[in-house]
Amino acid sequence: MASHIVGYPRMGPKRELKFALESFWDGKSSAEDLKQVAVDLRSSIWKQMKDAGIKYIPSNTFSYYDQVLDATAMLGAVPPRYGWNGGEIGFDTYFSMARGNASVPAMEMTKWFDTNYHFIVPELGPDVKFSYASHKAVEEYKEAKALGVETVPVLIGPVSYLLLSKPAKGVEKTFSLLSLLDKILPIYKEVISELKAAGATWIQLDEPTLVLDLDAHKYEAFTQAYSALESDLSGLEVLIETYFADIHEEAYKTLAGLKGVTAFGFDLVRGTKTLDLVKCGFPKGKYLFAGVVDGRNIWANDLADSLHKLEVLEGIVGKDKLVVSTSCSLLHTAVDLVNETKLDKEIKSWLAFAAQKIVEVNALANALAGQKDEAFFSANAAAQASRKSSPRVTNEAVQKSAAALRGSDHRRATNVSARLDAQQKKLNLPVLPTTTIGSFPQTIELRRVRREYKANKISEGDYVKAIKKEIEKVVKLQEELDIDVLVHGEPERNDMVEYFGEQLSGFAFTVNGWVQSYGSRCVKPPIIYGDVSRPKAMTVFWSSAAQSLTARPMKGMLTGPVTILNWSFVRNDQPRFETCYQIALAIKDEVEDLEKAGINVIQIDEAALREGLPLRKSEQAFYLDWAVHSFRITNCGVQDTTQIHTHMCYSNFNDIIHSIIDMDADVITIENSRSDEKLLSVFREGVKYGAGIGPGVYDIHSPRIPSTEEIADRINKMLAVLETNILWVNPDCGLKTRKYSEVKPALKNMVDAAKLLRTQLASAK
């Protein structure tokens, strides 16, 4: 019985690629140095899968930034502003598209479906001249072959690539991206031809958009594309891979009828209804790549349950046509549990990271082939039983409190307009108040202090002294810049979710459980294994210390329950909304303690609220109901004079704007500049927003420093659709990934722009 992995983490077990990228970007190492790190990581990954017995090993899933940007490079779809003049795309052009440069901004970045991974959105139009400009897929296949590893080259499928794109600036929003299909297919044909010539026998085309709600003409595009590629694909086994959700019946029929396609990959973890479609009939003679090992979470597979599922499928598709696979790429999980030497032994027995999931996939394939590892299956069953019966998982008091939440919508008693009036009397802010989102640059020295404190190399007193010194520096800088509502910079936090999880019960933490979010940015999601509660205050000490340094309002900085949930590895033994309500109650306690401590502005970030939106429209209303309710729970008990902020970033918010309004926050800051001010269109279309709002005025994920005039122009565009008295001025997101040499001039220009507009508004009266 054969085994397959959809994709694998790129960063390396110790984030080797992250450090190599940042060293290259900082000019401390060469392109050849970066390429060598990549070669070493790829060879290690391929060897690991081969040694584990995986038959269908993927190649071209490695990326220096993201796989959609790789496809953009392959197709030569470089926006004109980057000055690319043809030929093989190099690092300068590639990273300029991803990060921007001194003269031009980066391309838009958004979430990859409903994950915390991001991709660079292609910008297309009728005048784009496509050309075969990156031979990466073929080169990596040859690289693996030279190492004695036969791989399955992976490409983003042509239809999904177009459906994930957007019309370029200046192109009509109604432009049909699918009209470009005939222009990109010749490039795909060239790539396929070169792969065949290099000896490839399989190819994997990822078409994840097939799990979305698509209309008839989009389904027709798949039929059209693969009919056009049929002769080119001849001689190859062709796998169409889908993931993250169920397949619609119409999508299933479309897939079954595709010309030249010999195999289908389905997510059978999140796509439970897809299993029913397969049971009702599967195309004769085709391969089924059954994604039964979860690529999105870190819980050990229930091998007995998966084996039963596979045995049923084997009876439908045949023994020689069933392949055991992961539900999606393992990019979304941590790399290797072996590196977790400090994790609680019992909890560790419940887990499987990418390296362990490879072993699970092969163990299931062997069991189906009659070579069951009884000891391995027995240990797995014992771990499953341990998790179900462990007393550390359940807290009856927490469950009772969460259950009592049902039946109330937990709204603040006064409407937002009256609250804003009360808050203004207390805060006395100018028109177009300026603020930042929370974090300030995380310097090498700051990271060293936190690292040494965790390793018990410095005392708590020395740690507190160092963090207070950093807070003083950040507060002083903001006062010098004349920012109106300050933040303490979050020097005590490595990560906005990890920090809170470390102080809540029901969470476990890893040392090296890093997951790529975008580019070199990695996060270390906490593991929610049990019921959640707050044993003691988490942020009051630092917020109070910061507020004591200034007469200006100081924001208390919290992460909201939905974001903590969506940016964690969440327990899968109860509905997600139940866990979210538990977290909401814990954050509610913290909000009320901050208010008692005299913090008058409290930001509860919900950066990931949109991210968790189900891919299927039929499931979205239920999610939004409990997600928005969870946020309101956190602040329903505060006084009218306490101003509640929230923040969201790097997702498409226009389709959930009414749910955002229903959150009933006093002020929302939201990413706007990197997405070409897409957010503003919803207000142009007539949506009325009465609370405070701060659409971001510059992109913090690029090293580029915007001018005062550029920011003022952005503010003017906002003033055209939003009332002056509700508009705030702020960056797109937190500043932790930037350097002070970038942050200081950018914030100065931001404040100067706000002051310029205030003067103009005053003189216009």
Side-chain angles (χ1 to χ4, degrees):
M1 187 61 62
S3 52
H4 166 251
I5 304 299
V6 176
Y8 201 78
R10 308 158 182 155
M11 283 290 126
K14 300 289 180 67
R15 296 180 291 163
E16 290 88 344
L17 181 60
K18 168 191 171 65
F19 299 121
L21 282 167
E22 291 173 354
S23 176
F24 173 70
W25 292 337
D26 290 344
K28 296 176 181 176
S29 60
S30 69
E32 291 309 310
D33 293 332
L34 175 57
K35 289 176 183 177
Q36 187 58 54
V37 170
V39 166
D40 293 343
L41 285 171
R42 286 194 296 266
S43 62
S44 172
I45 290 165
W46 290 327
K47 183 179 186 299
Q48 181 184 8
M49 285 192 253
K50 183 179 180 181
D51 291 348
I54 300 299
K55 180 174 182 180
Y56 299 116
I57 297 170
S59 60
N60 198 41
T61 59
F62 178 90
S63 178
Y64 289 105
Y65 213 88
D66 83 78
Q67 69 270 31
V68 180
L69 183 61
D70 291 351
T72 294
M74 181 185 83
L75 295 167
V78 181
R81 65 181 178 274
Y82 298 107
W84 176 66
N85 295 313
E88 190 79 3
I89 288 176
F91 282 156
D92 283 352
T93 301
Y94 182 87
F95 288 127
S96 290
M97 290 192 287
R99 307 176 70 239
N101 58 43
S103 57
V104 291
M107 294 165 70
E108 179 184 352
M109 181 171 71
T110 196
K111 294 290 174 73
W112 177 245
F113 293 81
D114 59 347
T115 74
N116 187 28
Y117 182 68
H118 300 66
F119 73 98
I120 302 299
V121 182
E123 301 173 12
L124 305 178
D127 299 327
V128 175
K129 304 287 189 248
F130 296 100
S131 63
Y132 187 10
S134 170
H135 293 66
K136 176 178 174 292
V138 178
E139 289 166 357
E140 286 190 17
Y141 172 78
K142 289 179 177 178
E143 183 184 316
K145 199 173 184 70
L147 294 170
V149 182
E150 183 58 39
T151 62
V152 179
V154 179
L155 302 175
I156 297 289
V159 182
S160 287
Y161 176 79
L162 292 176
L163 292 178
L164 292 167
S165 303
K166 70 173 186 178
K169 204 165 188 177
V171 175
E172 288 292 327
K173 299 302 177 190
T174 55
F175 173 71
S176 171
L177 293 160
L178 289 176
S179 69
L180 299 173
L181 192 56
D182 288 341
K183 293 186 177 181
I184 69 170
L185 287 178
I187 315 299
Y188 276 86
K189 290 182 179 189
E190 285 189 71
V191 178
I192 291 165
S193 174
E194 287 194 6
L195 286 169
K196 286 168 72 173
T201 56
W202 276 84
I203 187 170
Q204 176 180 318
L205 290 148
D206 283 6
E207 294 282 13
T209 56
L210 275 164
V211 305
L212 303 177
D213 295 312
L214 303 178
D215 51 34
H217 87 279
K218 290 176 181 173
Y219 287 130
E220 179 56 34
F222 287 96
T223 302
Q224 176 191 341
Y226 288 93
S227 293
L229 292 173
E230 182 181 9
S231 62
D232 303 274
L233 292 169
S234 177
L236 287 173
E237 299 287 3
V238 180
L239 166 63
I240 302 295
E241 187 66 56
T242 68
Y243 32 79
F244 298 152
D246 280 305
I247 288 284
H248 271 293
E249 186 174 356
E250 191 59 37
Y252 188 74
K253 289 178 183 175
T254 300
L255 269 173
L258 292 182
K259 301 283 183 67
V261 175
T262 54
F264 310 107
F266 297 127
D267 181 339
L268 299 181
V269 176
R270 292 186 170 226
T272 52
K273 294 175 186 173
T274 302
L275 192 59
D276 295 331
L277 290 173
V278 173
K279 288 177 181 177
C280 290
F282 189 76
K284 193 173 171 102
K286 307 285 187 181
Y287 290 89
L288 170 61
F289 281 60
V292 295
V293 173
D294 192 354
R296 292 275 299 267
N297 217 326
I298 43 65
W299 304 109
N301 188 271
D302 186 336
L303 295 178
D305 181 69
S306 293
L307 184 58
H308 173 71
K309 194 180 292 181
L310 290 164
E311 287 168 344
V312 171
L313 291 171
E314 185 181 58
I316 297 167
V317 305
K319 195 180 226 13
D320 62 333
K321 296 296 182 183
L322 183 63
V323 179
V324 183
S325 184
T326 54
S327 65
C328 62
S329 172
L330 298 176
L331 171 70
H332 309 288
T333 191
V335 178
D336 196 342
L337 199 55
V338 169
N339 297 318
E340 301 306 324
T341 55
K342 297 181 180 179
L343 200 56
D344 176 272
K345 188 176 180 181
E346 182 183 30
I347 293 174
K348 190 174 181 178
S349 74
W350 303 341
L351 307 178
F353 290 179
Q356 289 69 47
K357 289 176 187 291
I358 288 174
V359 175
E360 290 178 337
V361 166
N362 208 54
L364 287 165
N366 288 340
L368 269 178
Q371 300 166 2
K372 185 178 181 182
D373 184 335
E374 295 292 349
F376 188 71
F377 271 71
S378 177
N380 176 266
Q384 298 292 325
S386 160
R387 186 176 166 214
K388 286 175 183 174
S389 61
S390 175
R392 68 201 309 169
V393 170
T394 305
N395 182 324
E396 288 186 11
V398 170
Q399 292 196 347
K400 188 174 179 181
S401 296
L405 294 171
R406 295 163 200 170
S408 170
D409 64 1
H410 297 88
R411 291 183 185 276
R412 292 170 77 178
T414 311
N415 68 43
V416 68
S417 178
R419 297 199 308 263
L420 288 173
D421 287 344
Q423 291 156 14
Q424 179 58 17
K425 287 174 185 172
K426 188 165 191 172
L427 299 173
N428 193 30
L429 297 172
V431 171
L432 305 179
T434 54
T435 190
T436 64
I437 304 306
S439 61
F440 265 65
Q442 299 265 314
T443 63
I444 292 172
E445 173 63 17
L446 185 55
R447 293 179 190 277
R448 182 192 64 77
V449 167
R450 283 201 309 263
R451 189 169 57 248
E452 290 186 352
Y453 177 58
K454 281 195 171 186
N456 295 316
K457 291 181 178 178
I458 61 172
S459 68
E460 183 174 7
D462 288 341
Y463 171 73
V464 169
K465 184 179 178 181
I467 297 298
K468 280 187 172 181
K469 184 179 179 182
E470 184 70 18
I471 291 172
E472 288 173 11
K473 181 178 83 173
V474 169
V475 171
K476 183 181 179 184
L477 172 61
Q478 291 172 93
E479 288 190 324
E480 288 172 353
L481 291 167
D482 205 16
I483 292 172
D484 300 304
V485 176
L486 311 189
V487 297
H488 75 289
E490 303 177 8
E492 79 283 16
R493 308 178 195 182
N494 177 62
D495 177 86
M496 62 187 285
V497 173
E498 182 181 2
Y499 175 79
F500 290 97
E502 284 177 336
Q503 301 181 77
L504 295 168
S505 64
F507 282 75
F509 291 87
T510 63
V511 174
N512 288 298
W514 298 99
V515 178
Q516 186 182 16
S517 179
Y518 61 86
S520 68
R521 168 79 170 138
C522 297
V523 294
K524 197 163 40 147
I527 299 164
I528 306 178
Y529 67 84
D531 291 332
V532 178
S533 62
R534 185 196 75 145
K536 61 181 181 179
M538 302 180 285
T539 65
V540 175
F541 175 79
W542 298 117
S543 291
S544 298
Q547 183 63 83
S548 71
L549 299 171
T550 180
R552 301 185 186 211
M554 174 66 62
K555 284 197 277 192
M557 299 300 304
L558 305 175
T559 303
V562 185
T563 296
I564 290 176
L565 183 87
N566 286 335
W567 285 357
S568 298
F569 290 125
V570 184
R571 58 189 293 191
N572 58 1
D573 59 344
Q574 71 176 15
R576 288 172 71 89
F577 71 84
E578 291 187 12
T579 303
C580 198
Y581 284 157
Q582 293 177 1
I583 302 169
L585 286 172
I587 300 300
K588 180 177 186 289
D589 290 343
E590 187 72 13
V591 168
E592 291 171 4
D593 280 352
L594 281 168
E595 184 182 58
K596 287 173 190 170
I599 304 300
N600 297 314
V601 182
I602 303 171
Q603 183 169 307
I604 308 166
D605 284 346
E606 284 296 13
L609 186 136
R610 174 61 174 78
E611 175 186 311
L613 188 71
L615 300 176
R616 305 292 280 276
K617 289 177 183 174
S618 60
E619 301 167 7
Q620 291 176 358
F622 177 66
Y623 166 80
L624 289 169
D625 179 65
W626 63 255
V628 169
H629 186 192
S630 295
F631 176 81
R632 289 201 306 262
I633 287 166
T634 65
N635 60 86
C636 63
V638 300
Q639 300 172 31
D640 287 356
T641 51
T642 297
Q643 190 167 83
I644 298 296
H645 289 223
T646 191
H647 171 68
M648 297 181 179
C649 56
Y650 300 103
S651 288
N652 181 7
F653 300 106
N654 292 26
D655 55 348
I656 64 163
I657 190 66
H658 293 290
S659 294
I660 292 173
I661 293 169
D662 199 38
M663 291 170 72
D664 199 29
D666 297 311
V667 178
I668 179 170
T669 53
I670 197 162
E671 180 270 325
N672 169 69
S673 60
R674 181 150 186 177
S675 58
D676 287 333
E677 297 156 351
K678 190 191 301 179
L679 173 70
L680 299 185
S681 66
V682 78
F683 302 112
R684 293 189 191 101
E685 292 161 8
V687 170
K688 299 298 180 187
Y689 194 79
I693 183 167
V697 296
Y698 78 90
D699 174 24
I700 63 86
H701 289 300
S702 169
R704 182 174 169 272
I705 298 165
S707 67
T708 300
E709 294 73 23
E710 180 183 331
I711 295 174
D713 181 59
R714 279 220 166 93
I715 299 171
N716 270 321
K717 289 179 182 176
M718 297 171 192
L719 288 170
V721 293
L722 293 165
E723 296 294 329
T724 307
N725 64 335
I726 66 169
L727 187 61
W728 285 64
V729 177
N730 47 263
D732 263 354
C733 204
L735 304 169
K736 69 188 296 180
T737 61
R738 300 267 55 89
K739 300 171 185 173
Y740 273 104
S741 59
E742 299 159 346
V743 165
K744 289 178 182 179
L747 289 181
K748 180 182 184 302
N749 291 348
M750 183 188 83
V751 173
D752 287 348
K755 289 179 176 179
L756 175 66
L757 268 294
R758 286 174 196 159
T759 302
Q760 291 176 1
L761 288 168
S763 63
K765 287 184 179 178

